[in-house]
Amino acid sequence: MINFIWAGLLIIGFVVGALTGNLEAVTNAAIDNAKTGVDLALGLIGIMTLWLGLMKIAEDSGLVEKLARLLKPLMVWLFPDVPPEHPAMGAMIMNIAANMLGLGNAATPLGLKAMQELQKLSDDKETATDAMVTFLAINTSSVTLIPASTIGILVAAGATNPTEIIGPTLVATTVSTIVAIIVSKIFQRLPKYQIKKADNK
Amino acid sequence: MFVEIMESISIYAIPVIIVGFILFGMAKKVKVYESFTEGAKEGFNTAVRIIPFLVAMLVAIGAFRASGAMELLTKALSPITNLIGMPGEVLPMAFMRPLSGGGAQGIMTDLITTHGTESLIGRMASVMMGSTETTFYVLAVYFGSIAVKKQRHALSVGLLADLAGLLTAVFVTRLFFGM
């Protein structure tokens, strides 16, 4: 699916650009964004390094393990393929907590750490595991308790009661998270998405 | 009250986490400086490893955005959105959200300033912003960091969750703020 969408975005972009006379703008946008991609990744280095360092302290001191034990029943249900005491559980909990508190800067490094831990449990390193997809489903449906940047924009636009959107946002984001968890659990059983075992080699 | 509590949490969370982790580590006799630098070593590698995935995704999104394809798509789908009570003005926001966080924020800001902070359109865009994620970006970065190429059902699940968030946003905005 990702192959078709990726190719589709590029091909549609250039074809529509040619038809509407925006071809030059499309080319420039593509090249500019290539640079943006590198800038974004390099910009992550500082934050990544800081949080992965702190995470290692939390790990060595047993703090992550304590947290993981607290939420064990929920995590075991969400990620049945991950051993309850595995470091991946702790890293996922930390990432979800950071997302809920709106600590975007801290959430990404912790999430990447969780992915690396999940990868250690994977047999086929090129293919996503069920746990990875469920974790990303929870991550991308992002239960954010306070949509801080949106409130900031509303304030800047002169809203008298900018925090009124918190209630409805909480409802909508909760629904999307529940859908994400249910759909990821259903889809992982569909033949189309099953991991093909390389048994006849 | 709830808001004030949450605001102070946002301010204090990071300092408390940093100091708390270090104090807890020291209490457990962890060599905190050595632990920190040991973990931090991974930061650079991870950031560099996601570059090809990020560039691939952002180039495609950039080309699509600049072409004007979004406007065509919005026009084609307006009969359906009218049916579910989503004003046509909000539709580009719904399409942009999974592709680009910055792009969606730009559209949201524009909708809020054009139609007003008390308008249905402005509020609906605000709620949509908070209930969905930049799914394409997150998948590129997270899978890129561990070089996973076959993503299986991840994109379908992410987009369905976004769709659920968007539809709920339309529904609850009308419910909370009237027509």
Side-chain angles (χ1 to χ4, degrees):
Chain A
M1 181 158 166
I2 190 78
N3 286 305
F4 285 106
I5 290 188
W6 185 72
L9 286 172
L10 272 173
I11 293 165
I12 292 170
F14 280 107
V15 170
V16 173
L19 293 176
T20 55
N22 287 338
L23 197 54
E24 213 172 324
V26 176
T27 310
N28 288 337
I31 293 167
D32 281 351
N33 272 21
K35 187 179 175 317
T36 307
V38 177
D39 289 346
L40 278 175
L42 294 182
L44 263 179
I45 292 177
I47 309 160
M48 285 291 313
T49 308
L50 170 64
W51 283 100
L52 290 179
L54 286 169
M55 185 68 183
K56 182 77 178 152
I57 296 178
E59 227 179 272
D60 289 350
S61 60
L63 192 64
V64 179
E65 208 189 306
K66 269 207 172 83
L67 201 68
R69 214 173 301 148
L70 213 65
L71 292 167
K72 193 171 149 185
L74 178 68
M75 296 301 280
V76 167
W77 177 77
L78 282 172
F79 307 101
D81 300 336
V82 181
E85 312 300 335
H86 196 273
M89 290 293 204
M92 287 194 286
I93 291 170
M94 309 278 274
N95 166 266
I96 294 166
N99 265 329
M100 289 180 84
L101 296 176
L103 310 177
N105 279 350
T108 306
L110 298 173
L112 297 185
K113 168 91 178 154
M115 290 300 277
Q116 280 159 15
E117 293 295 342
L118 289 174
Q119 180 75 309
K120 288 179 189 161
L121 294 167
S122 171
D123 297 326
D124 176 358
K125 303 295 180 201
E126 290 210 335
T127 305
T129 62
D130 289 346
M132 286 176 191
V133 177
T134 306
F135 171 58
L136 278 178
I138 294 170
N139 189 295
T140 59
S141 65
S142 77
V143 173
T144 309
L145 296 178
I146 294 292
S149 57
T150 302
I151 292 173
I153 289 166
L154 285 168
V155 170
T160 46
N161 187 13
T163 48
E164 65 183 5
I165 59 145
I166 291 176
T169 303
L170 211 51
V171 174
T173 188
T174 306
V175 169
S176 81
T177 304
I178 293 170
V179 168
I181 292 170
I182 294 172
V183 173
S184 76
K185 294 271 173 197
I186 295 173
F187 277 20
Q188 72 188 35
R189 294 198 180 85
L190 298 181
K192 185 181 162 195
Y193 294 119
Q194 293 270 312
I195 299 175
K196 286 174 192 72
K197 293 258 162 20
D199 44 4
N200 292 328
K201 265 191 183 162
Chain B
M1 183 59 190
F2 175 71
V3 176
E4 273 106 62
I5 294 173
M6 291 311 301
E7 274 164 1
S8 8
I9 288 180
S10 333
I11 297 169
Y12 288 105
I14 291 184
V16 167
I17 292 170
I18 293 178
V19 177
F21 277 21
I22 293 171
L23 286 179
F24 191 84
M26 290 173 83
K28 293 278 170 186
K29 303 210 164 39
V30 171
K31 291 178 179 145
V32 284
Y33 177 79
E34 286 164 33
S35 268
F36 182 91
T37 47
E38 173 67 28
K41 272 196 301 201
E42 274 305 299
F44 183 82
N45 293 334
T46 308
V48 171
R49 211 154 36 216
I50 62 179
I51 289 177
F53 300 88
L54 212 47
V55 169
M57 202 43 86
L58 291 180
V59 166
I61 291 167
F64 185 78
R65 272 180 68 183
S67 70
M70 191 69 81
E71 286 77 26
L72 294 175
L73 199 62
T74 309
K75 228 170 268 171
L77 282 173
S78 58
I80 302 172
T81 52
N82 289 341
L83 213 62
I84 57 167
M86 182 197 279
E89 290 88 339
V90 184
L91 195 56
M93 164 83 197
F95 279 118
M96 187 56 76
R97 189 66 184 98
L99 295 174
S100 158
Q105 195 164 335
I107 296 175
M108 178 187 75
T109 309
D110 177 59
L111 289 173
I112 289 171
T113 46
T114 311
H115 299 277
T117 54
E118 319 278 286
S119 65
L120 180 72
I121 291 173
R123 283 164 166 162
M124 199 177 277
S126 305
V127 175
M128 281 180 176
M129 190 74 196
S131 58
T132 46
E133 246 297 338
T134 319
T135 301
F136 282 88
Y137 171 83
V138 172
L139 292 193
V141 170
Y142 277 53
F143 280 130
S145 73
I146 51 170
V148 159
K149 295 194 184 79
K150 298 189 187 86
Q151 306 187 352
R152 293 174 64 219
H153 49 308
L155 187 60
S156 317
V157 172
L159 291 179
L160 279 172
D162 284 337
L163 183 66
L166 291 170
L167 293 177
T168 314
V170 172
F171 180 72
V172 289
T173 311
R174 287 184 168 271
L175 195 73
F176 271 72
F177 302 114
M179 300 302 276

